[in-house]
Amino acid sequence: TAGAVGWEADRDSMWRRMSDRVLSVMDSKPPSHDQLKLVQAHVIFRHGSRTPFENTHDAPKIWSKSVRADLSRSTKVNLVDMHNGEGASTEEVLHGESKQVLEGGCGSGLLTKEGLQQAVELGGVLRRRYLDTGLVDLDKTSLRSSLTSRTVETLRGVLTGMYGSQQKEALDVLVGKKGSGTSHTDWLNFNTTCCPRLEELYKASVKEWSGDRMPDDVRPVLDETLA
């Protein structure tokens, strides 16, 4: 809390200095809405509620197939490999059930109905903030996801909340494929070379995440990324 208070004080001081400079240029008049222009907005979100990866000991049978998200009315997408621009395995990712089946009958790590509803509601918030205000249009929107069913399906839910029934055609979504020989694709690809500080933090986190805590299929990916 002390750190947050200090940051707030510093921020206020910085804002006063910036405001003085800006207002002096604009004859002490704050900018009106029509003078402002949205240059770029990055919206990053995690997947919605999912089934667990292992049976829950207190109530293992609650994870029945009935909790699985129904994507039949959700916005359709085309998955595009971000490295070569070719189509990714849409069928496998969107419709393939988890290999591990929970005691209730549903696959593990899959998006639930509740998770899909969370995504739709988030899409509604984004629609009101960016689309209804005219700040963003569909032609200038770029979509990206990690290559797992729950994240792609969550994105479909968000798009449903944003565009609703007016979006008839499937939208392209860039997905990443990590190094050959690995099945781990549960994150977004990112470029550490574009930011020295990001590369520094990334290498530090990898160094901490080592030994028994690092899955076997992840290590080759990190070695390749940091090469």
Side-chain angles (χ1 to χ4, degrees), residues 203-221:
K203 289 183 177 180
S205 63
V206 171
K207 186 176 181 180
E208 293 181 5
W209 189 32
S210 59
D212 296 336
R213 294 192 303 158
M214 184 180 294
D216 293 337
D217 62 336
V218 175
R219 188 175 299 279
V221 176

Side-chain angles (χ1 to χ4, degrees), residues 54-119:
E54 299 179 354
N55 284 307
T56 50
H57 300 293
D58 54 339
K61 295 185 178 181
I62 65 172
W63 304 109
S64 64
K65 292 184 177 181
S66 62
V67 305
R68 182 74 166 97
D70 180 7
L71 278 292
S72 60
R73 297 185 178 180
S74 298
T75 301
K76 294 180 173 57
V77 297
N78 295 318
L79 301 186
V80 180
D81 190 321
M82 62 175 295
H83 297 294
N84 55 31
E86 299 177 356
S89 180
T90 307
E91 192 69 23
E92 178 182 350
V93 174
L94 295 186
H95 305 292
E97 290 295 322
S98 172
K99 294 181 179 179
Q100 180 178 348
V101 179
L102 300 172
E103 189 170 333
C106 191
S108 64
L110 299 177
L111 191 69
T112 64
K113 291 179 178 178
E114 180 181 6
L116 180 59
Q117 182 58 37
Q118 292 168 345

Side-chain angles (χ1 to χ4, degrees), residues 21-215:
R21 296 177 183 177
V22 172
L23 292 178
S24 63
V25 175
M26 303 186 65
D27 298 327
S28 300
K29 294 181 180 180
S32 61
H33 186 273
D34 57 358
Q35 291 176 297
L36 301 176
K37 177 182 179 181
L38 177 65
V39 178
Q40 194 175 70
H42 290 253
V43 181
I44 303 174
F45 49 87
R46 202 163 184 263
H47 59 74
S49 295
R50 59 164 174 79
T51 58
F53 292 117
E54 299 179 354
N55 284 307
T56 50
H57 300 293
D58 54 339
K61 295 185 178 181
I62 65 172
W63 304 109
S64 64
K65 292 184 177 181
S66 62
V67 305
R68 182 74 166 97
D70 180 7
L71 278 292
S72 60
R73 297 185 178 180
S74 298
T75 301
K76 294 180 173 57
V77 297
N78 295 318
L79 301 186
V80 180
D81 190 321
M82 62 175 295
H83 297 294
N84 55 31
E86 299 177 356
S89 180
T90 307
E91 192 69 23
E92 178 182 350
V93 174
L94 295 186
H95 305 292
E97 290 295 322
S98 172
K99 294 181 179 179
Q100 180 178 348
V101 179
L102 300 172
E103 189 170 333
C106 191
S108 64
L110 299 177
L111 191 69
T112 64
K113 291 179 178 178
E114 180 181 6
L116 180 59
Q117 182 58 37
Q118 292 168 345
V120 173
E121 292 176 0
L122 173 58
V125 172
L126 297 178
R127 182 191 70 246
R128 292 187 292 273
R129 178 175 299 176
Y130 294 109
L131 300 182
D132 294 349
T133 57
L135 291 174
V136 175
D137 58 59
L138 178 60
D139 295 335
K140 297 181 179 179
T141 301
S142 177
L143 306 172
R144 189 171 173 183
S145 175
S146 55
L147 192 58
T148 51
S149 63
R150 58 182 172 273
T151 55
V152 173
E153 292 174 352
T154 297
L155 177 56
R156 291 181 64 186
V158 171
L159 294 173
T160 302
M162 289 181 66
Y163 303 113
S165 58
Q166 65 177 340
Q167 181 57 39
K168 303 297 184 182
E169 299 180 359
L171 300 175
D172 288 343
V173 175
L174 290 178
V175 293
K177 287 185 177 179
K178 296 307 243 178
S180 59
T182 175
S183 60
H184 192 91
T185 57
D186 196 14
W187 53 48
L188 286 171
N189 291 32
F190 57 93
N191 184 5
T192 57
T193 61
C194 66
C195 176
R197 179 57 174 162
L198 176 61
E199 183 175 13
E200 178 184 346
L201 293 173
Y202 182 65
K203 289 183 177 180
S205 63
V206 171
K207 186 176 181 180
E208 293 181 5
W209 189 32
S210 59
D212 296 336
R213 294 192 303 158
M214 184 180 294

